[in-house]
């Protein structure tokens, strides 16, 4: 049974010469699942879902689920400003059986809290699997207020919220008054949010050294706060650089520096600047020099009957 806790990674979508690089996505998915992350999200903001057509989104979800072979849950990101269209999209994705749906607020239209409640109720009614609310007002233009979140708990399949409001007071209110799993979506606030009692994170930065992000979660859970604080200080310089330019440009730059994917995005997103890459490469060298939190064997997986061995994100 999926608990919707721990470190989840919103998977980047690799491209190669403008086309979806499915094998690259599968490599990353297996690497991350083998590093101990607790879940993956396909077609989230970091996955450039807005630039993927329906066929590409379906192909990516199926390919990642095939690659991880049940080693970790895989959620599907869903967004849109038309409630009916979002519900229809979820009804279609139901047939592919993702573990859950990560559903953002309607962007641009800025509905009332009542409109948000009705939107997510319609989404929950359409979804056959659990729903994770996604609150990211900096992108959507509207905040899902705690009262609305609490009202939505009446929907049995709304189980968690990815909170990216950047407001620790709101996070604390959710932790004290909501029964949902609270997942941090602001990587720079990860340590603080976990210490407040959050149940985990959906972290783009965890593409890099996922073992250390998992260890951070485990240390806080074990009450080893000083060790967790020391580790977070070591992670923070890379986290800050990964969000110094629009996401996922820096994350893809980091993965390309390590020869895992091509440094390629679809417009209107652009690669990280040359100056940013220099700073990032220097910080990556320092982070990668840290000892690994656990020994991870290079896994093999089979695609179309061919066995392939995968490297680690190092």
């Amino acid at each position: 049974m999926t608990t919707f806790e721990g470190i989840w990674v919103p998977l980047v979508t690799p491209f190669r010469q403008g086309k979806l690089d499915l094998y690259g996505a599968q490599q990353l998915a297996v690497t991350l699942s083998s590093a101990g992350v607790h879940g993956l999200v396909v077609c989230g903001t970091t996955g450039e879902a807005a630039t993927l057509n329906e066929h590409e989104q379906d192909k990516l979800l199926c390919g990642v689920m095939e690659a991880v072979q049940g080693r970790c849950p895989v959620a599907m990101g869903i967004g849109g400003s038309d409630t009916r269209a979002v519900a229809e999209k979820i009804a279609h994705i139901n047939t592919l059986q993702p573990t859950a749906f990560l559903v953002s607020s309607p962007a641009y239209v800025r509905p009332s809290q009542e409109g948000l409640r009705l939107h997510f109720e319609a989404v929950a009614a359409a979804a056959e699997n659990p729903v994770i609310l996604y609150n990211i007002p900096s992108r959507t233009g509207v905040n899902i207020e705690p009262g609305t979140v609490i009202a939505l708990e009446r929907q049995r399949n709304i189980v968690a919220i990815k909170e990216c409001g950047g407001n620790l007071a709101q996070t604390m209110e959710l932790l004290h008054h909501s029964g949902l799993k609270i997942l941090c979506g602001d990587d720079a606030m990860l340590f603080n949010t976990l210490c407040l009692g959050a149940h985990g994170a959906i972290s783009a930065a965890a593409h890099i050294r996922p073992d250390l992000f998992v260890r951070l979660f485990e240390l806080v859970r074990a009450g080893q706060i000083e060790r967790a604080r020391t580790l977070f200080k070591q992670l923070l310089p890379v986290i800050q650089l990964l969000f110094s330019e629009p996401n996922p440009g820096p994350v893809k730059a980091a993965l390309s520096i390590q020869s895992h994917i091509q440094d390629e995005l679809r417009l209107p997103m652009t690669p990280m600047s040359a100056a940013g890459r220099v700073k990032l490469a220097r910080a990556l060298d320092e982070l990668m020099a840290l000892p690994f939190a656990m020994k991870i064997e290079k896994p093999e997986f089979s695609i179309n009957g061919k066995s392939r061995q995968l490297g680690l994100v190092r």
Side-chain angles (χ1 to χ4, degrees):
M1 179 179 177
T2 304
T3 60
F4 299 100
E5 298 185 358
I7 302 298
W8 290 54
V9 179
L11 199 67
V12 299
T13 300
F15 299 115
R16 189 177 289 272
Q17 297 181 346
K19 296 182 180 180
L20 173 65
D21 178 9
L22 184 60
Y23 177 60
Q26 290 177 313
Q27 284 185 302
L28 285 175
V30 173
T31 294
L32 291 164
S33 65
S34 299
V37 302
H38 301 90
L40 298 172
V41 178
V42 172
C43 294
T45 305
T46 304
E48 299 174 79
T51 70
L52 302 175
N53 62 38
E54 185 175 292
H55 172 71
E56 289 174 321
Q57 292 188 13
D58 290 358
K59 187 176 180 180
L60 185 61
L61 174 62
C62 292
V64 169
M65 291 174 63
E66 177 189 19
V68 300
Q69 297 179 357
R71 282 187 293 268
C72 72
V74 179
M76 178 69 171
I78 300 287
S81 300
D82 178 350
T83 301
R84 290 174 299 174
V86 173
E88 289 171 0
K89 185 173 183 179
I90 286 177
H92 163 70
I93 299 293
N94 279 333
T95 61
L96 305 180
Q97 286 296 298
T99 303
F101 296 97
L102 175 66
V103 186
S104 58
S105 302
Y108 182 73
V109 294
R110 301 184 68 183
S112 67
Q113 293 300 305
E114 177 71 359
L116 285 174
R117 181 182 66 80
L118 293 171
H119 174 81
F120 284 114
E121 286 179 354
V123 163
E128 294 178 357
N129 288 330
V131 172
I132 304 169
L133 306 177
Y134 184 7
N135 186 33
I136 183 162
S138 64
R139 289 184 181 272
T140 64
V142 61
N143 180 49
I144 310 175
E145 295 178 2
T148 303
V149 175
I150 293 167
L152 285 168
E153 291 181 43
R154 292 193 292 265
Q155 307 303 309
R156 61 174 181 78
N157 59 339
I158 294 180
V159 298
I161 179 168
K162 179 183 179 182
E163 178 55 47
C164 302
N167 186 335
L168 282 177
Q170 177 162 305
T171 300
M172 290 179 68
E173 187 171 353
L174 290 171
L175 286 165
H176 287 138
H177 300 293
S178 170
L180 299 184
K181 301 293 185 182
I182 311 301
L183 302 172
C184 175
D186 292 300
D187 287 9
M189 298 173 65
L190 177 57
F191 173 71
N192 290 23
T193 308
L194 289 176
C195 288
L196 288 173
H199 302 91
I202 299 180
S203 167
H207 279 88
I208 314 301
R209 290 306 302 264
D211 61 310
L212 295 183
F213 281 83
V214 171
R215 176 57 58 86
L216 177 71
F217 170 76
E218 293 172 343
L219 287 172
V220 174
R221 273 292 174 93
Q224 299 183 38
I225 302 304
E226 285 304 318
R227 291 182 63 190
R229 181 181 289 109
T230 298
L231 175 56
F232 187 68
K233 286 181 179 179
Q234 294 171 312
L235 292 170
L236 190 56
V238 167
I239 290 174
Q240 291 172 331
L241 285 168
L242 290 176
F243 293 95
S244 62
E245 297 182 24
N247 179 50
V251 176
K252 283 192 162 182
L255 292 170
S256 71
I257 288 169
Q258 298 173 329
S259 301
H260 294 294
I261 65 172
Q262 298 293 309
D263 189 11
E264 187 174 337
L265 295 90
R266 284 182 175 171
L267 287 172
M269 304 310 296
T270 55
M272 192 178 198
S273 65
R277 281 181 64 98
V278 170
K279 295 178 183 178
L280 181 59
R282 189 178 303 123
L284 285 174
D285 284 342
E286 295 180 7
L287 185 62
M288 300 313 293
L290 296 178
F292 276 75
M294 62 188 77
K295 183 179 180 181
I296 308 167
E297 299 296 331
K298 290 187 177 181
E300 290 188 355
F301 76 108
S302 177
I303 301 295
N304 297 327
K306 296 181 180 180
S307 180
R308 298 182 171 103
Q309 190 176 64
L310 303 178
L312 300 176
V313 177
R314 294 187 176 179

